[in-house]
Amino acid sequence: VEMYAARDRKLERSLQGRGQIESSPWVLTFDKLLSETNFVQDMKDILQTLQHAYKYPVDVEFTLNFFNKENYKINLVQCRPLQIYDGGIAVSPPQNIAPENLVLQSRGPVIGKSTQLDLDWLIYVVPGLYGKMPQSERYAVARAIGEITSHTEVESGVIMLLGPGRWGTTTPELGVPVSPTEIQSVNVLCEIVAMHDNLVPDVSLGTHFFNELVENDMLYLAFFPNQEGHAINTTIMEDPSLNCLTKLFPELHELEQAVRVLRASDAAPGSGITINADTMTQRVVCYRT
């Protein structure tokens, strides 16, 4: 829609410059669809019928084709059960966390249960370095993530995974092409909305891969660099002395700069690292305790 709207704005300016039309902004909305047709009620009926048949709420994809202004046809393209969980319990984080103890904070989107977890591992793919990798090395990073998360010592702990763009994408230029099975042991997944100077990738909201995360009861959050309310402590995350990658997997030494594996007890000696997420207020704070 945005692509066509930009084209139309350019055309409008051209016509205005030649005096062929008066200035009037063009805005595409669904106002008439929602207020002058039975679409909303029809979709309610469809969803209630499907929920009754599945005995579970459903997630659907559909198309809507109009024959004229009043008559249309709804075609269901896909239907699947939709996992529904309670909201969890929100716990207030400590006040006035010292900057050196703040690992990460985000102001949304945050999806999943409100929770507070003591982390054992942080796995971090450095966006700037990943963005410079050729495609073959990006696939190597994805396979390495699968090895790390399935390692006996790592898999048994509470894991937070952070990386650039979309996790699970089939296009390595847009993120890390892992499969759901390669990150099934992850508890918290963070998508960093950064890749390189010429590309700012979209996050996974609305994709099938994202639905897999929700169904696996995984906490999801997005991190937007340079936006108010978002911060990451790269001093901790990129400290080479804290990277356990080659200790666990000596054969992955070529990826040591781009893939960081931090043991929480090393990054916060004598204490630990806690993540506090409140999905109602869309707030996440991760900090050394």
Side-chain angles (χ1 to χ4, degrees):
V1 170
E2 178 59 30
M3 178 181 69
Y4 285 110
R7 183 199 65 182
D8 290 343
R9 286 193 295 268
K10 183 177 180 181
L11 173 62
E12 183 181 7
R13 288 193 297 270
S14 175
L15 294 174
Q16 289 173 6
R18 297 201 296 267
Q20 295 180 18
I21 65 170
E22 296 179 359
S23 176
S24 60
W26 297 2
V27 180
L28 176 64
T29 75
F30 293 103
D31 291 349
K32 289 189 176 183
L33 173 68
L34 299 175
S35 64
E36 299 182 13
T37 73
N38 291 325
F39 170 72
V40 173
Q41 186 59 50
D42 288 342
M43 287 306 300
K44 283 184 178 180
D45 293 341
I46 289 172
L47 290 171
Q48 288 173 359
T49 300
L50 291 169
Q51 179 170 338
H52 178 74
Y54 277 82
K55 296 181 175 58
Y56 217 81
V58 295
D59 169 30
V60 300
E61 292 184 11
F62 65 92
T63 63
L64 183 66
N65 298 291
F66 274 86
F67 303 114
N68 51 49
K69 290 184 177 181
E70 291 79 26
N71 299 310
Y72 55 81
K73 182 177 182 179
I74 299 173
N75 291 295
L76 288 182
V77 179
Q78 191 169 106
C79 175
R80 56 183 277 170
L82 179 65
Q83 293 279 5
I84 301 294
Y85 298 104
D86 62 52
I89 300 175
V91 180
S92 298
Q95 298 296 315
N96 303 318
I97 298 171
E100 65 271 17
N101 289 329
L102 182 67
V103 178
L104 178 140
Q105 71 176 20
S106 169
R107 290 299 180 267
V110 185
I111 308 295
K113 290 182 179 180
S114 295
T115 187
Q116 179 167 295
L117 296 171
D118 294 326
L119 300 175
D120 295 303
W121 298 92
L122 294 92
I123 304 170
Y124 174 60
V125 179
V126 183
L129 297 179
Y130 183 83
K132 296 176 182 178
M133 286 181 166
Q135 183 165 295
S136 60
E137 291 185 18
R138 296 185 185 195
Y139 280 109
V141 168
R143 302 294 79 79
I145 295 298
E147 291 185 55
I148 297 166
T149 59
S150 61
H151 185 279
T152 303
E153 187 177 357
V154 178
E155 186 179 28
S156 61
V158 179
I159 307 168
M160 181 175 180
L161 178 61
L162 311 91
R166 293 185 176 187
W167 287 104
T169 179
T170 56
T171 307
E173 289 79 9
L174 300 179
V176 185
V178 294
S179 68
T181 56
E182 288 176 312
I183 61 169
Q184 62 185 358
S185 60
V186 171
N187 304 90
V188 183
L189 186 73
C190 175
E191 292 186 334
I192 301 173
V193 188
M195 188 73 71
H196 51 73
D197 292 340
N198 299 320
L199 176 63
V200 178
D202 292 328
V203 294
S204 292
L205 299 178
T207 65
H208 293 298
F209 181 78
F210 177 73
N211 287 337
E212 297 284 349
L213 307 184
V214 174
E215 292 183 359
N216 286 328
D217 200 17
M218 190 182 297
L219 180 68
Y220 167 90
L221 64 127
F223 175 80
F224 291 83
N226 304 318
Q227 278 197 15
E228 184 179 357
H230 294 250
I232 188 169
N233 192 330
T234 54
T235 302
I236 296 175
M237 301 300 292
E238 299 183 16
D239 184 343
S241 67
L242 297 177
N243 193 358
C244 299
L245 179 66
T246 55
K247 294 178 183 178
L248 298 172
F249 303 94
E251 69 278 11
L252 297 179
H253 62 91
E254 293 183 354
L255 299 177
E256 189 174 21
Q257 296 301 314
V259 180
R260 310 297 176 110
V261 181
L262 282 67
R263 194 191 309 266
S265 58
D266 294 339
S271 55
I273 294 179
T274 296
I275 185 166
N276 180 296
D278 187 337
T279 56
M280 293 300 294
T281 62
Q282 291 290 281
R283 173 195 50 75
V284 171
V285 182
C286 182
Y287 54 94
R288 295 198 287 196
T289 56

